[in-house]
Amino acid sequence: YFRSLSRNSYMKYSRVWNHHKSPDATIVAKYLLARHPSNNYNYSEMLLKEAREFKDVVYFDFKEGNWSGEGDKPISALIGMSRKTYAFFTYATNMRVDYVCKGDDDAFYRLNFMANELESLSYRGIYHGRHLEWYGLSRTSGLLITLSYDLVDWIRDSTIVDANIDFPYEDVMPGRWFYLANVPITFTRECRAHCINRGYGWSLMMNVTEESMVMHGMLPYQKNWDEFF
């Protein structure tokens, strides 16, 4: 459902390659899926048809953890999300890109702002997002994690990463990898990423402005994303 919402709202931005084959299209958008217990770990024919039609769905051949959607996620579900994050970063090395961004499906992304901001940076060693600290470890908020391609390339080949995939906090995981391997990185701390719903990370709540780049916690507004913005 969120894939349809995003395709019909912010993914219509002219620089998204999926919908516009013009020379200006410099953003490639993908939706990441793993085998989910809700369908007995099988990909439905409806999903496969969607993938064929839109050519923007990446489905991996491993299982998500089981979670009812209520209460805390079990470890198996958390590890499944971490594995999907790792799988995406390694998949992304097959594309010729400057940056790889990973975000949440219940967020609204101002892709024009994102593209302009990233193009102003140095393209190497960039760890971009809303900067946070986790028990003394520097990392970015999971609502938008952006890495320059050289860091993604390092993730694919690193034995340290390979030995630390099953870490049950996907948002923390990239920062932990860089810390363990002492990889030199440059944080960009001014990412305008906001949670707009108190149930979605109250510590990140800020007033949304015309300059906001990412708005997370969009579930209450799912019926009128275009009108809301």
Side-chain angles (χ1 to χ4, degrees), residues 4-208:
S4 178
L5 284 175
S6 60
R7 288 190 187 107
N8 288 289
S9 56
Y10 63 84
M11 286 298 179
K12 289 184 176 180
Y13 176 48
S14 62
R15 292 178 66 179
V16 177
W17 184 88
N18 291 12
H19 299 278
H20 302 271
K21 306 304 188 291
S22 72
D24 294 332
T26 58
I27 299 171
V28 180
K30 299 291 182 181
Y31 300 94
L32 315 176
L33 301 175
R35 295 185 180 275
H36 198 271
S38 62
N39 196 44
N40 198 28
Y41 297 107
N42 294 314
Y43 288 119
S44 68
E45 183 55 40
M46 183 180 296
L47 172 64
L48 298 177
K49 180 181 178 181
E50 177 190 342
R52 290 191 297 268
E53 178 181 355
F54 293 100
K55 296 180 175 58
D56 59 7
V57 176
V58 178
Y59 42 91
F60 299 114
D61 193 22
F62 56 82
K63 295 180 179 180
E64 293 262 24
N66 197 355
W67 180 49
S68 65
E70 298 181 359
D72 294 336
K73 290 185 177 74
I75 291 294
S76 61
L78 294 171
I79 290 177
M81 295 168 68
S82 293
R83 289 176 178 174
K84 189 162 62 174
T85 296
Y86 169 74
F88 168 62
F89 284 138
T90 55
Y91 165 85
T93 60
N94 296 314
M95 298 183 287
R96 291 188 174 184
V97 295
D98 296 316
Y99 295 97
V100 176
C101 307
K102 175 194 168 295
D104 292 343
D105 59 0
D106 60 343
F108 189 102
Y109 296 91
R110 305 284 293 281
L111 297 180
N112 53 331
F113 289 167
M114 289 173 59
N116 291 339
E117 184 159 316
L118 291 174
E119 287 171 349
S120 71
L121 302 176
S122 66
Y123 295 100
R124 292 194 61 82
I126 298 296
Y127 188 9
H128 181 69
R130 184 71 180 275
H131 182 262
L132 298 173
E133 295 288 329
W134 188 80
Y135 294 103
L137 177 71
S138 293
R139 54 100 167 187
T140 63
S141 166
L143 54 89
L144 178 64
I145 299 173
T146 300
L147 303 177
S148 53
Y149 182 84
D150 60 312
L151 294 180
V152 177
D153 196 42
W154 174 84
I155 288 173
R156 179 195 59 192
D157 297 332
S158 171
T159 56
I160 290 178
V161 170
D162 195 50
N164 288 274
I165 297 171
D166 291 345
F167 182 69
Y169 302 100
E170 58 161 337
D171 299 347
V172 180
M173 193 165 61
R176 184 170 182 265
W177 290 336
F178 302 143
Y179 172 78
L180 291 174
N182 197 27
V183 175
I185 56 175
T186 300
F187 273 108
T188 52
R189 297 169 182 259
E190 299 304 321
C191 175
R192 302 182 299 280
H194 306 149
C195 279
I196 64 173
N197 185 321
R198 187 168 295 276
Y200 284 72
W202 60 268
S203 63
L204 296 180
M205 286 187 66
M206 294 180 65
N207 291 329
V208 174

